[in-house]
């Protein structure tokens, strides 16, 4: 149908964009040299932080609108739409991030090494875990609202809502553990690649730079979990 056709065209364009990005990154590194690698990594991770901040701004706007919406199901639908927008932004950024780093690895000849493959698979694992957790959260809440939409004041609904949120919190706790572990793993893999390319000293410098790059991201993870507590 029309929706499948449109999605197929979007997927094809995304594939073309990814191929073009990989070639662009490879060419840039060949022209500018090793310094471009650090600049590209910094820029890519900064883009991810921007997406995160946009998410909180988006959800803040939704929260401000809730007081004027008396219907619980309508409120849930708005929350769902906002979460879907953020999740789509995260997915697009993850695709850009993956193709960007693949371009780096191809440019320096590490795309088939254990460290290179590990770097890419770690990115994919984090994206998969976050995507699944967002979907789990929305599915559980949607099921709850559909079940109780016509009986919202029922005391049993409140009890069940607490159970739903406990399930969601458990899912996020597991996702956070994976996300935090993967950030550390990426730093080690990045250091290994710099050691292979340049020297042990360069590897240590890369490790320290990654810690600085991801410090704010770790802070955002903590804030997200504190908000859920």
């Amino acid at each position: 149908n029309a929706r499948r056709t449109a999605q197929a065209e979007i997927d094809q364009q995304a594939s073309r964009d990814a191929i073009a990005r990989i070639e662009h990154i490879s060419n840039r590194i060949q022209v500018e040299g090793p310094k471009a690698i650090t600049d590209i990594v910094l820029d890519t991770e900064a883009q991810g932080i921007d997406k995160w901040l946009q998410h909180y701004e988006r959800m803040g706007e939704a929260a401000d609108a809730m007081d004027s919406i008396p219907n619980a199901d309508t409120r849930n639908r708005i929350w769902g739409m906002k979460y879907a927008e953020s999740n789509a932004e995260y997915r697009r950024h993850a695709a850009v991030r993956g193709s960007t780093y693949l371009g780096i690895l191809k440019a320096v000849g590490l795309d088939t090494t254990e460290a290179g493959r590990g770097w890419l698979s770690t990115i994919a694992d984090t994206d998969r875990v976050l995507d699944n957790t967002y979907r789990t959260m929305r599915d559980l809440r949607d099921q709850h609202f559909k079940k109780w939409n016509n009986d919202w004041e029922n005391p049993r609904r409140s009890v069940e809502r607490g159970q739903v949120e406990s399930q969601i919190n458990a899912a996020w706790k597991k996702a956070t553990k994976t996300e935090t572990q993967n950030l550390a793993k990426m730093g080690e893999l990045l250091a290994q690649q710099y050691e292979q390319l340049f020297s042990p000293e360069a590897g240590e410098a890369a490790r320290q730079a990654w810690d600085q790059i991801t410090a704010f991201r770790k802070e955002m993870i903590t804030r997200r979990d504190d908000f859920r507590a």
Side-chain angles (χ1 to χ4, degrees), residues 17-19 21-22 25 94-104 120:
D17 290 344
I19 292 171
R21 189 176 301 107
I22 291 169
I25 294 297
V96 169
R97 193 181 185 213
S99 59
T100 296
Y101 289 155
L102 178 56
I104 292 175
L120 295 176

Side-chain angles (χ1 to χ4, degrees), residues 8-87:
E9 292 177 354
I10 291 172
D11 292 342
Q12 290 172 7
Q13 184 59 52
S15 296
R16 289 192 291 269
D17 290 344
I19 292 171
R21 189 176 301 107
I22 291 169
E23 293 177 352
H24 170 72
I25 294 297
S26 297
N27 291 336
R28 179 180 170 186
I29 293 172
Q30 290 173 9
V31 171
E32 299 180 19
K35 182 182 181 301
I37 299 176
T38 303
D39 291 343
I40 292 167
V41 171
L42 283 169
D43 182 60
T44 301
E45 295 306 311
Q47 290 176 25
I49 291 172
D50 286 343
K51 297 297 181 187
W52 213 327
L53 294 175
Q54 289 168 15
H55 165 70
Y56 280 103
E57 182 178 349
R58 183 179 293 115
M59 303 314 288
E61 292 172 352
D64 290 342
M66 289 299 113
D67 289 341
S68 62
I69 303 172
N71 185 273
D73 185 56
T74 301
R75 293 196 300 270
N76 181 57
R77 289 176 185 274
I78 291 174
W79 282 121
M81 289 172 57
K82 295 299 182 181
Y83 273 113
E85 289 175 17
S86 290
N87 204 27

